[in-house]
Amino acid sequence: MKIILATNNKGKLREFRKMCNTEVIAFSEILGDVEIVEDADTFKGNALIKARAIYEKLEDKDAIVVSDDSGISVPLLGGTPGVYSARYAGEGASDKENLYKLVNTVKEAGVERTPAYYTAAIAIVSKFGEYVVHGWMHGDVLATTRGENGFGYDPMFVPSGFEQTLGELDDEVKKSISHRSKALELAKPIIKMLQR
Ligand code: IMP
C-alpha cells in the first residue's frame, strides 16, 4: 500500500520516509502540478482540503494520502497569523518577510515578548475514512530575532522551558519538542493500522 504525501517539501518527505516501512511518494511524482485552494479557517480544514484533493485525483484508491498544515498563533494579536502564517506579509511573501512582519507587529503592540504557539494538523485520507491529528508547541515570541537555525518564525520563538530561540537551539532540540513531531507521533499508529 502506497503512502502519497500531499507536499513537495523535501524535509517533510524525508521525515515520513524514515517513519514508514513502505513506499512514500510526493503527489507531484504521480499527478504533476495540482492547484489546491487552501481557504479553510482552521489548520485541520486546510490539511483535509489538501489530502482530499489529492486522494480524489488518484486512480489507486488503496493508497493513503497524508497532508499537513501548520502555523503560528499569537493570542495578543487575536490568534494571528494562524492559518495565514505562510502569507502573513502578502501572497507569495518569503519566510523572512513574514518573520519581520510579525516582529514589527509585536513591537507595535508595545511588548518585548508575548505568549504564542505553533500548531500542526496532519490529515490522513484513505478508503477506510479520514483522520486528523494535531500537535502544539507553546512558548513566547520576541519583538526581535536571534539565531539562524530552523526556518520561518523560529528566530523569534522561545519554546517554554528554554531561554534561547529556535533560531539558536539545535535542530535536534526542536525535533524533540516540535508541533510537527508531536502530530507525527499521533499519526504513526493510524498510518500503521491502515497499512495492515
Ligand atoms: P506549511 O505547513 O508548510 O503550510 O507552513 C505554514 C507556515 O507556518 C510556514 O510558511 C511558516 O511560516 C510557518 N511555520 C510552520 N511550522 C513552522 C516551524 O516549525 N517553524 C517556523 N515556522 C513555521
Side-chain angles (χ1 to χ4, degrees), residues 59-127:
E59 265 175 44
D60 177 7
K61 295 299 181 199
D62 284 331
I64 299 168
V65 179
V66 180
S67 71
D68 83 333
D69 196 59
S70 54
I72 192 167
S73 305
V74 184
L76 179 73
L77 306 175
T80 57
V83 291
Y84 301 104
S85 293
R87 49 200 150 113
Y88 188 43
E91 212 59 59
S94 68
D95 267 15
K96 277 256 170 323
E97 288 166 334
N98 290 328
L99 167 68
Y100 285 108
K101 164 131 191 211
L102 189 56
V103 166
N104 287 330
T105 309
V106 171
K107 227 182 265 174
E108 282 159 17
V111 294
E112 274 175 27
R113 64 192 288 162
T114 185
Y117 56 93
Y118 281 112
T119 305
I122 295 184
I124 301 159
V125 173
S126 76
K127 66 178 178 188

Side-chain angles (χ1 to χ4, degrees), residues 45-64:
N46 281 333
L48 275 170
I49 285 175
K50 279 185 250 185
R52 283 178 186 151
I54 302 297
Y55 189 78
E56 272 164 24
K57 287 191 186 298
L58 291 177
E59 265 175 44
D60 177 7
K61 295 299 181 199
D62 284 331
I64 299 168

Side-chain angles (χ1 to χ4, degrees), residues 142 145-147 154-159 163-169:
L142 308 178
T145 64
R146 296 199 317 240
D154 287 345
M156 69 182 298
F157 187 85
V158 179
E163 298 291 328
Q164 292 154 297
T165 68
L166 287 175
E168 296 169 311
L169 288 166

Side-chain angles (χ1 to χ4, degrees), residues 71-72 99 113 116-119 136-142 144-182:
I72 192 167
L99 167 68
R113 64 192 288 162
Y117 56 93
Y118 281 112
T119 305
W136 288 272
M137 173 167 49
H138 290 264
D140 282 351
V141 280
L142 308 178
T144 187
T145 64
R146 296 199 317 240
E148 298 286 326
N149 290 344
F151 69 99
Y153 300 94
D154 287 345
M156 69 182 298
F157 187 85
V158 179
S160 298
F162 292 84
E163 298 291 328
Q164 292 154 297
T165 68
L166 287 175
E168 296 169 311
L169 288 166
D170 209 73
D171 282 350
E172 282 304 307
V173 175
K174 179 179 175 189
K175 216 169 120 191
S176 71
I177 57 171
S178 88
H179 48 309
R180 203 166 292 102
S181 306
K182 288 177 191 155

